[in-house]
Amino acid sequence: MFTITGSRGLYKAPLCKGLLLVLNGLTVMLALLPQHQELFVYNLQAITQQHRVWRFLCGRLVCLDVKDAFCSSLLIYNFRIFERRFGTRKFASFLLGTWCVSALMDFLLAQVFQFLFDYEIEDLPAGLLAPIFSLFVPFYLMIPRVPVTQVLGHIHITNKTLVYIVGLQLLTSSPFMWLLALSGLIAGGLYYHNIFWLQKLIFVPLWVSHIGRYILEPLFSSSQPDKEMPLGMGATLDIQRQQRMDLLDQQLLLAQYNEARRNSRQQPQSRLWTRLFPTLRHRGHNQPLMQPRPQAQTSSSTQPPLLDNSPVAEEQVARLVEMGFSRMDALEALRASNNDINMATNFLLQH
């Protein structure tokens, strides 16, 4: 479920890979050297009263709790899709902008909490937590919700459910984690919608991007993943069987998609959808594939299918193009799915 919103691995995501390696490496080093953890505590009183401004950089980058580091790493790995879509410079500008805005929001929220409840907050959880929570704003607004399965027949599980569960786990890991989460969400909303022209005020300069491209990107770049994932030597028979079945599903789905496109002028929408996206989850031992029902028994659709030369909504095409798909693939998927963006996205994300 973590790979359904993008290709596997950290291809074209050097910044996310660098954050995962460097920040987690520092977390492990501080866990082995606990005498130096005091330098990375996010203490608000030390910043305001003792003027230790350097605690901003140390306390808001490295996690001291291993569980927080693990959950934040899972979220960074999932949010790597934004680095692929926006580009490394724009993605870095988003993290930098939300980091600066959330730092101000931390103090404001702490003062509001002290005013309302007469309790002074001294320490907050350390780490790059507020910018990570801010990434939930574009994740909620840009990533479409694709149903995956149902639990108990009523609870829908989508491609975004597991990400929200990890975020909830991170939210409940510390008593004042809610303050960083609220700070990050506010900062993410302000920067994403360019309130107060934040995108023009706080950004990564072009010369810094060039330096990172020639010095840091070669260190953290990843090779392009193969379309056909090789089977590991240590994989069990069940894993190998599941990998072969998934590969067969993709090949069968693509073949039926091409065949349905050629016969789209003669077949109604309901039968086209059955041939285009058949259910491949209900498998059993020696169970044959389900045959399509005769046309006489198929209920007629209320809408005629879109033909190959029928126009599609440019807004939906633009949304699919923003997700990283080519315009040609987006047009073909929308035509085949009768201009249903959820169905088109479900197919495109699997290829």
Side-chain angles (χ1 to χ4, degrees):
M1 197 175 297
F2 272 100
T3 60
I4 196 170
T5 55
S7 59
R8 298 177 176 88
L10 291 165
Y11 176 62
K12 290 185 179 180
L15 179 58
C16 291
K17 184 177 181 180
L19 292 175
L20 290 175
L21 294 178
V22 174
L23 299 183
N24 288 329
L26 291 175
T27 300
V28 174
M29 290 178 59
L30 291 176
L32 299 177
L33 302 173
Q35 64 271 19
H36 299 291
Q37 290 185 0
E38 180 64 25
L39 300 175
F40 294 87
V41 175
Y42 187 17
N43 191 303
L44 296 180
Q45 289 185 351
I47 298 173
T48 56
Q49 300 177 5
Q50 303 177 11
H51 304 289
R52 298 180 180 179
V53 185
W54 53 269
R55 283 188 176 273
F56 259 130
L57 184 63
C58 297
R60 304 187 82 246
L61 281 181
V62 183
C63 290
L64 299 179
D65 194 320
V66 178
K67 183 176 63 174
D68 293 347
F70 177 75
C71 294
S72 60
S73 298
L74 289 179
L75 294 175
I76 290 175
Y77 179 77
N78 180 79
F79 292 146
R80 75 200 186 282
I81 184 175
F82 295 118
E83 184 176 1
R84 293 197 185 108
R85 296 182 185 179
F86 300 153
T88 302
R89 183 192 174 193
K90 189 175 180 180
F91 182 71
S93 298
F94 184 89
L95 292 179
L96 176 62
T98 55
W99 189 90
C100 296
V101 176
S102 61
L104 177 61
M105 296 303 302
D106 289 348
F107 282 98
L108 293 179
L109 293 176
Q111 293 298 323
V112 171
F113 187 82
Q114 182 179 359
F115 176 78
L116 294 178
F117 301 99
D118 194 19
Y119 181 84
E120 185 177 6
I121 300 177
E122 297 182 1
D123 297 336
L124 290 176
L128 194 70
L129 300 173
I132 291 177
F133 280 110
S134 68
L135 287 170
F136 276 99
V137 175
F139 181 75
Y140 175 79
L141 296 176
M142 297 184 60
I143 304 299
R145 186 169 58 91
V146 180
V148 176
T149 184
Q150 290 184 357
V151 178
L152 302 177
H154 300 284
I155 303 176
H156 294 275
I157 303 298
T158 67
N159 59 323
K160 303 168 67 173
T161 302
L162 186 57
V163 182
Y164 290 132
I165 293 176
V166 176
L168 183 61
Q169 175 65 31
L170 183 61
L171 178 64
T172 57
S173 62
S174 300
F176 290 103
M177 185 66 75
W178 63 268
L179 192 145
L180 294 178
L182 182 59
S183 173
L185 292 176
I186 295 175
L190 293 176
Y191 196 88
Y192 179 81
H193 295 287
N194 198 20
I195 306 298
F196 306 118
W197 300 279
L198 290 175
Q199 296 181 8
K200 296 182 180 180
L201 296 176
I202 308 175
F203 60 92
V204 175
L206 187 59
W207 62 272
V208 175
S209 177
H210 287 315
I211 293 177
R213 180 178 302 175
Y214 292 106
I215 297 179
L216 299 179
E217 186 173 351
L219 298 176
F220 299 109
S221 60
S222 300
S223 59
Q224 183 177 5
D226 298 332
K227 294 183 179 179
E228 296 184 2
M229 300 297 294
L231 297 178
M233 294 297 295
T236 62
L237 294 178
D238 293 336
I239 296 177
Q240 295 180 10
R241 187 181 301 110
Q242 183 64 35
Q243 289 178 342
R244 294 191 185 97
M245 294 176 69
D246 292 340
L247 181 60
L248 180 62
D249 286 348
Q250 295 180 2
Q251 295 175 352
L252 180 61
L253 193 63
L254 182 60
Q256 293 176 343
Y257 171 72
N258 295 329
E259 182 180 357
R261 283 188 54 207
R262 292 192 297 266
N263 301 330
S264 61
R265 296 179 180 272
Q266 290 80 19
Q267 295 185 1
Q269 178 188 357
S270 59
R271 188 177 179 184
L272 172 62
W273 175 248
T274 304
R275 293 174 58 85
L276 180 58
F277 301 108
T279 173
L280 299 175
R281 299 296 180 185
H282 303 287
R283 304 191 192 96
H285 296 286
N286 301 325
Q287 181 178 357
L289 294 175
M290 297 178 62
Q291 298 295 332
R293 297 181 179 180
Q295 187 172 0
Q297 298 178 0
T298 305
S299 59
S300 60
S301 177
T302 57
Q303 279 184 327
L306 289 176
L307 302 180
D308 289 342
N309 56 356
S310 300
V312 296
E314 285 296 330
E315 181 182 357
Q316 296 183 353
V317 176
R319 289 180 59 185
L320 291 177
V321 172
E322 290 179 357
M323 292 175 59
F325 305 114
S326 64
R327 180 177 177 83
M328 182 179 298
D329 293 341
L331 288 172
E332 292 178 356
L334 287 172
R335 290 193 183 106
S337 60
N338 197 24
N339 215 11
D340 191 320
I341 190 171
N342 290 328
M343 296 178 182
T345 306
N346 192 18
F347 174 77
L348 291 173
L349 287 175
Q350 299 182 16
H351 296 81

